[in-house]
Structure formats: structure tokens, C-alpha cells
Amino acid sequence: MNKILIVGACGQLGTELTIKLRELKGKDNVVATDLRGPVDLIADGPFEKLDILDKSQFHDLLKKYQIKEVYHLAAVLSAKGEQDPQFAWRLNMESLMTVLEAGKDIVEKIYWPSSIAVFGPGTPKQNTPQDTIMDPNTVYGISKLAGERWCEYYHDKYGVDIRSLRYPGLIGYKTLPGGGTTDYAVDIFHKAIAGNSFECFLNENTVLPMMYMDDAVKATIDLMEAPIGKVRVRSSYNVAAMSFSPSQITSEIQKHYPDFVTRYVPDFRQQIAEGWPSTIDDSVARADWGWKNAFDLPELVETMLAHLKKEIVF
Ligand code: NAD
Ligand code: SER
């Protein structure tokens, strides 16, 4: 069994990926690392504090645990990135280069997520293809696009087995998001459950691609387990599940909570969202390694509300 190390394991995605990978591979085979933590949900297995900007600390951990696979998730996300672009660039790029370099001779397989933020205002908005115009206008999107090019470069030039997905906005009930433009689609559930109204920072008709967390975790592990010959794209794969606007998710929640109300007060994140696609064509991922989502909007809403309601009861 290859030993796995996760960088950024206490985040929205990292927590859920750590839980699932430990379930599948055994607790002791999955080392969670983060600047902070451990958070309670992943405190049941090996954990190390790691600043991924500290290369020697990273290499010490690779050696200590004989790591063969790295999931590198640490990043500054889209909205937070605009507050300090220099730092977002530094963290997102330097950390990826550190991990890719380790892929040359120490680590056998690497996972690194990209994002729909690699697309920009010039990209076709509907059914955005795998290969198309990419003109991101956020520091986050620019760093993800540059990262994709580096991933393909390290694969082609040095044979590094790097795999990547362009996630849409991720929505789950176990964790809170860390500073993205799609975060509203998690926050809205917490407000509905608490019986409060919701103030949305996007306008009511802004349609963005989204995905339930279980689908995101499944896509990630499916891609990492796919036979090498099936992974033809070494920049990053489009993956999709559903697309909706704030008013559409509000209507779906109102089927369960008829009195629930959303008010729209768009801020700087509206402009970021306007540069992103509304719907994604993920036919290449479906054809290459069999990607298929399980959750659509009604299932997402039902599942999120059921789980969050339970948490409040206990
Ligand atoms: P998050 O902000 O919730 O988590 C990131 C984690 O990285 C945090 O726990 C943070 O403490 C940690 N971290 C920050 N700096 C670090 C450092 N120097 N060293 C080690 N750890 C550090 O982010 P997330 O939503 O879990 O996203 C994970 C990855 O998935 C990111 O690369 C992100 O770009 C990508 N992604 C996420 C989404 C989404 O909707 N959540 C969508 C597309 C892509
Ligand atoms: N959900 C992420 C964000 O909004 C997309 O990468 O930043």
C-alpha cells in the first residue's frame, strides 16, 4: 500500500478527502498535514504540522513516512486571493513547484486541484469545453492556469505522474469553505437551518457550476486510481455535476423551508463570478476514465439539509 501525504488536510476539501482515503487505505497509510490543526474530524490518524513553503520540512516528512503519493491541496482561493495577490501567487506557485520537484525522484504520484477559475471573460460561458480560450482575471485563476501548464510540463519533460481536476464550487456539510467566490452556496444552508434569512454576495441570476463534496472526493480518487493509460490530460480535467444561480438554490431550499428568504447584496465577488463559466462540458473526463456525478441540485439540497439538521439536534 502506497503511503499518502495530504497537504492542506484541514481545509474544506482536505478534511473530507482525508476521511475517505483513510477509510479506503487504512488510517496509518494517510498522513494529514496542515499549517493549523488537526481538526477533530481527522484527529484519528497521523497528523503533522507543515508549512508547505518550508521545503526541508516537507522533505523530512516524505522521508519519515516513506511517502509515495502526495495530494497537494493548500492554496489561497479566489476571493481571499484578491486581498493579497502577491502572497496568493507565492503560496499557490511555490508550493506546487516544491511538490512537482519531489515528483521527479521521490514521490510516485501527485494530485493537485485546478479550478473553473482558470477560465475568464473571453471563455465561452455555456458548455465550456476542455480546450478553449483561457484568460483568467483573478490572481487565483492566473495561478491555477500557470499551475496547469507546469503540471503538463513536469509530466512531459520528467515523466511525473501528476493528475488534476478543475473543480467547480464544492458544497459539503462537514466543513466550511475557505475564501472562495462559491462559498455562498455552503453558507446559505447554515442560514436556512438556523431559521435566518440569507444575504447573498452574488446577484440572483449568476449561474455557476457546483458539485456536492461526495462527488468531488469520488472524482479525485477515481482519477488517482485510473490506469495510467487512461489519464490523457496532464494539465487538468473539466468535471461537472450541476449549475445553478442563487435564486435557483433558494427556490430549492424553499421546498423544505417555505419561509426562507434570500436578499441580494452583490460585492466584489460578483465581478469574479461574472468571469467564470455557467456550465461545463466534462465529456473528456467521462470518456477517458469514466467520470460520472451522482448528485444533482434537488439531491444536494435534500442531503445538505438532512445532515445539517441532524447536527443541530445532537
Ligand atoms: P481551504 O482554504 O478550505 O483549505 C486549504 C487548507 O490549506 C487550509 O486548511 C489551510 O490551513 C491550508 N494551508 C494554507 N496555507 C498552507 C501552508 N503554507 N502550508 C500548509 N497548509 C496550508 O481550501 P479548499 O476549499 O479545501 O481547497 C483545496 C484545494 O482545492 C485548493 O487548491 C483549491 O484551489 C481547490 N479548489 C477548491 C474548490 C472549492 O470550491 N472548495 C474549488 C476549486 C478548486
Ligand atoms: N470555489 C472556488 C472559489 O470560489 C473555485 O475554485 O474560489
Side-chain angles (χ1 to χ4, degrees):
M1 181 73 72
N2 273 354
K3 283 252 187 169
I4 294 172
L5 183 135
I6 303 182
V7 182
C10 292
Q12 189 198 7
L13 172 63
T15 303
E16 302 234 20
L17 203 49
T18 302
I19 293 169
K20 184 46 103 181
L21 283 170
R22 283 186 177 159
E23 215 177 282
L24 295 172
K25 314 272 178 187
K27 276 190 184 114
D28 292 339
N29 291 318
V30 181
V31 181
T33 74
D34 203 294
L35 260 188
R36 60 189 170 111
V39 292
D40 288 350
L41 288 170
I42 59 164
D44 63 341
F47 178 84
E48 299 272 357
K49 281 245 160 94
L50 168 68
D51 178 353
I52 187 60
L53 292 176
D54 182 340
K55 274 187 215 165
S56 64
Q57 207 191 351
F58 175 60
H59 279 267
D60 288 349
L61 290 179
L62 294 182
K63 207 164 152 198
K64 176 176 171 185
Y65 289 99
Q66 302 283 296
I67 296 297
K68 291 292 167 216
E69 287 184 29
V70 172
Y71 288 68
H72 170 33
L73 310 177
V76 179
L77 275 78
S78 61
K80 215 166 156 193
E82 295 307 293
Q83 314 305 319
D84 188 350
Q86 294 292 331
F87 178 71
W89 177 257
R90 176 161 178 248
L91 176 63
N92 295 4
M93 296 316 301
E94 257 184 56
S95 62
L96 175 61
M97 297 309 285
T98 297
V99 174
L100 284 173
E101 277 292 306
K104 279 182 177 172
D105 47 10
I106 308 171
V107 172
E108 288 173 6
K109 213 191 264 185
I110 295 169
Y111 180 76
W112 171 82
S114 184
S115 160
I116 53 164
V118 292
F119 300 116
T123 304
K125 273 202 173 313
Q126 303 300 335
N127 233 12
T128 302
Q130 175 69 39
D131 297 306
T132 186
I133 296 166
M134 299 166 99
D135 56 352
N137 57 5
T138 59
V139 65
Y140 175 68
I142 295 168
S143 72
K144 289 294 184 186
L145 178 54
E148 286 192 9
R149 302 318 309 146
W150 277 116
C151 288
E152 193 178 288
Y153 182 90
Y154 269 72
H155 172 264
D156 293 353
K157 197 107 177 163
Y158 306 115
V160 173
D161 189 359
I162 166 87
R163 304 176 182 211
S164 177
L165 299 172
R166 290 174 184 150
Y167 296 125
L170 305 182
I171 303 169
Y173 65 89
K174 290 184 190 148
T175 53
L176 292 171
T181 302
T182 57
D183 292 10
Y184 90 85
V186 177
D187 298 341
I188 194 169
F189 288 103
H190 292 268
K191 292 291 185 302
I193 286 284
N196 296 329
S197 60
F198 178 61
E199 192 174 286
C200 185
F201 57 72
L202 297 184
N203 78 32
E204 59 185 310
N205 298 320
T206 310
V207 176
L208 290 173
M210 302 279 184
M211 185 178 283
Y212 182 53
M213 188 59 86
D214 286 15
D215 272 342
V217 168
K218 181 179 181 302
T220 308
I221 295 172
D222 283 357
L223 175 64
M224 284 297 271
E225 311 256 291
I228 201 155
K230 300 237 173 224
V231 186
R232 293 185 307 127
V233 174
R234 294 301 185 150
S235 50
S236 191
Y237 277 99
N238 279 8
V239 281
M242 66 188 91
S243 287
F244 56 77
S245 65
S247 77
Q248 286 168 321
I249 190 172
T250 297
S251 303
E252 199 59 43
I253 291 172
Q254 283 167 340
K255 291 181 185 164
H256 305 261
Y257 291 83
D259 296 334
F260 180 65
V261 176
T262 299
R263 289 190 308 114
Y264 300 94
V265 188
D267 65 16
F268 72 100
R269 289 167 280 195
Q270 179 63 33
Q271 202 192 344
I272 298 178
E274 279 170 16
W276 290 355
S278 298
T279 58
I280 299 284
D281 173 1
D282 61 357
S283 51
V284 177
R286 286 176 194 261
D288 280 7
W289 44 275
W291 157 243
K292 193 170 183 294
N293 63 296
F295 286 78
D296 60 11
L297 177 58
E299 276 161 330
L300 166 90
V301 170
E302 209 176 306
T303 309
M304 286 291 289
L305 292 176
H307 282 285
L308 289 174
K309 225 186 303 181
K310 242 190 264 168
E311 272 178 25
I312 281 178
V313 170
F314 294 112

